[in-house]
Amino acid sequence: MSNGDIFVGEVIGTAILILFGAGVCAAVTLRHSKARASGWIVIAFGWGFGVLAGAYTAAPLSGGQLNPAVTLGIAVDTGKWDKVWVYVLGQLVGAMLGAVLAYLVYLAQFQANVRQPGAEGGADEEPTPTLGIFSTIPEIRSPVANLITETIATVALVLPILAFGLTEGLGESGTLVLIVSLLVVGIGLSLGGPTGYAINPARDLGPRVVHTLLPIPHKGTSDWGYAWIPVVGPLIGGALAGLIYNVAF
């Protein structure tokens, strides 16, 4: 694969991933959305379908890694580092692009994110915080615990992805991406409760930058004090998964 193909594939695939993922978060979070308050299961499946669509689309060009933690795990296992920067750059650009596209899809809902009069003289409804649409927020803010959660959850993603490659015919049959998508849904349902399961540095960092820059009414903080955890934790998890796979398999 050429550097150009890898970059384009990762931009397109990661943009689709974030469009679906940030899109489902917007659908569940924002007022005047038909899917508002539909719950965590909807979010988990929305992200899983985002992986499905993004990875299948990018696969012919770049292999559809879409995640610096996956790219790092593969590099640690194989020792091939020369194209890592191309993958990661494409993933970051794609994540930012996908976040902008999700914002445009829900533009009217974002613009309506203002104080709403309460029903029948009740208290006014405050604007909805929007960072959770773009990036992760821990339920309990504990840097050590949050870092451990993201590290373990990422090992639970990257190690199976590497091991799936040992199953003869899985990639050729076209079902590998489907299995990985279901894996992401499972991680969201089982391990996503504490931090919102970034498990992907580009998925969190790129949209957080976009959230900072976009003119969203009453958007609240972008929480840059927490932003290192969903970057460092997944990178540690990806590297550990690569090491475990290299030693054990």
Side-chain angles (χ1 to χ4, degrees):
M1 297 176 183
S2 70
N3 286 350
D5 284 346
I6 291 171
F7 179 77
V8 171
E10 293 297 294
V11 168
I12 293 173
T14 310
I16 292 172
L17 164 64
I18 302 301
L19 173 61
F20 276 57
V24 73
C25 290
V28 171
T29 301
L30 292 171
R31 285 194 294 258
H32 312 297
S33 164
K34 294 182 181 296
R36 189 185 186 197
S38 52
W40 187 250
I41 292 176
V42 171
I43 289 175
F45 273 94
W47 277 103
F49 291 140
V51 172
L52 184 74
Y56 268 128
T57 304
L61 289 172
S62 66
Q65 296 181 14
L66 314 186
N67 183 342
V70 173
T71 301
L72 178 60
I74 293 171
V76 168
D77 172 49
T78 63
K80 296 178 181 179
W81 294 87
D82 57 315
K83 295 185 182 295
V84 167
W85 70 273
V86 184
Y87 276 97
V88 173
L89 181 61
Q91 291 155 3
L92 286 170
V93 172
M96 295 177 68
L97 176 60
V100 172
L101 293 174
Y103 165 74
L104 292 175
V105 169
Y106 285 90
L107 180 61
Q109 283 72 27
F110 279 111
Q111 291 178 337
N113 187 42
V114 296
R115 180 189 287 264
Q116 300 287 320
E120 299 180 357
D124 289 352
E125 188 176 355
E126 295 298 322
T128 302
T130 58
L131 177 60
I133 294 170
F134 294 87
S135 298
T136 59
I137 303 170
E139 282 297 298
I140 297 175
R141 188 171 295 266
S142 170
V144 173
N146 301 151
L147 187 66
I148 290 172
T149 295
E150 285 294 332
T151 299
I152 293 173
T154 307
V155 172
L157 171 70
V158 178
L159 184 58
I161 287 175
L162 294 173
F164 291 159
L166 296 177
T167 302
E168 186 176 356
L170 192 59
E172 290 80 359
S173 68
T175 57
L176 177 59
V177 173
L178 175 61
I179 300 300
V180 172
S181 303
L182 293 174
L183 172 64
V184 171
V185 173
I187 290 171
L189 295 176
S190 299
L191 308 178
T195 62
Y197 73 115
I199 59 174
N200 181 338
R203 167 264 178 275
D204 196 274
L205 180 59
R208 196 180 299 268
V209 171
V210 169
H211 181 265
T212 300
L213 298 176
L214 285 175
I216 302 171
H218 305 286
K219 64 183 176 182
T221 177
S222 297
D223 197 8
W224 283 101
Y226 177 76
W228 67 274
I229 289 174
V231 172
V232 174
L235 290 177
I236 294 173
L240 285 174
L243 287 171
I244 294 168
Y245 180 80
N246 187 274
V247 171
F249 292 85

